Amino acid sequence: QVQVVESGGGSVQAGGSLRLSCTASGLTFDDYYMGWFRQAPGKEREGVSCISRSGGTTYYADSVKGRFTISRDNAKNTLYLQMNSLKPEDTAMYYCAAARGYYSGGYYCTSGIMNYWGKGTLVTISS
């Protein structure tokens, strides 16, 4: 069966960095458009960043543009999110998700198209 597992969350001070990883098994990784989503307490889940199957096209929410970098290693079935210059408002549960298909660009970086989800990794940023 398909498993999606996030890691790398933690607690850091504002201005710090974290690197999230997501490993997917039970699927052909490079058949999937991948994304990072987050949900803060009392807020809706939002798309943070998504990446095309080849890694050639990426999308970032305006709130993280210039601070976060998404990447993938298809040989390792792994998705990454490098998060720099972290702010308290980045505090949230971060989820990795996969959508099978030829998606590309930010239009598709939405919960509704994702087929598989991880259980999340918690990121807490203190001021």
Side-chain angles (χ1 to χ4, degrees):
Q1 70 277 20
V2 175
Q3 286 192 314
V4 178
V5 180
E6 303 95 338
S7 61
S11 297
V12 298
Q13 289 191 326
S17 297
L18 285 172
R19 188 193 197 203
L20 305 184
S21 298
C22 166
T23 301
S25 59
L27 51 74
T28 303
F29 189 72
D30 56 9
D31 281 349
Y32 286 80
Y33 176 79
M34 299 295 297
W36 288 100
F37 294 77
R38 68 185 181 186
Q39 187 166 19
K43 295 189 176 181
E44 292 187 356
R45 188 174 297 187
E46 63 170 340
V48 174
S49 183
C50 289
I51 188 167
S52 61
R53 291 159 30 135
S54 68
T57 302
T58 57
Y59 160 80
Y60 297 95
D62 287 344
S63 58
V64 306
K65 205 171 291 183
R67 299 188 297 122
F68 290 11
T69 303
I70 191 171
S71 62
R72 65 190 294 165
D73 185 336
N74 287 345
K76 295 182 178 180
N77 283 20
T78 303
L79 177 73
Y80 303 99
L81 187 68
Q82 178 67 43
M83 306 188 295
N84 298 329
S85 302
L86 284 160
K87 303 176 181 180
E89 51 264 44
D90 294 318
T91 294
M93 186 70 80
Y94 282 72
Y95 298 92
C96 173
R100 187 160 191 250
Y102 290 93
Y103 302 106
S104 182
Y107 179 81
Y108 298 104
C109 196
T110 178
S111 299
I113 71 155
M114 297 298 169
N115 304 117
Y116 301 106
W117 291 87
K119 294 183 178 180
T121 186
L122 183 62
V123 172
T124 304
I125 311 302
S126 58
S127 57

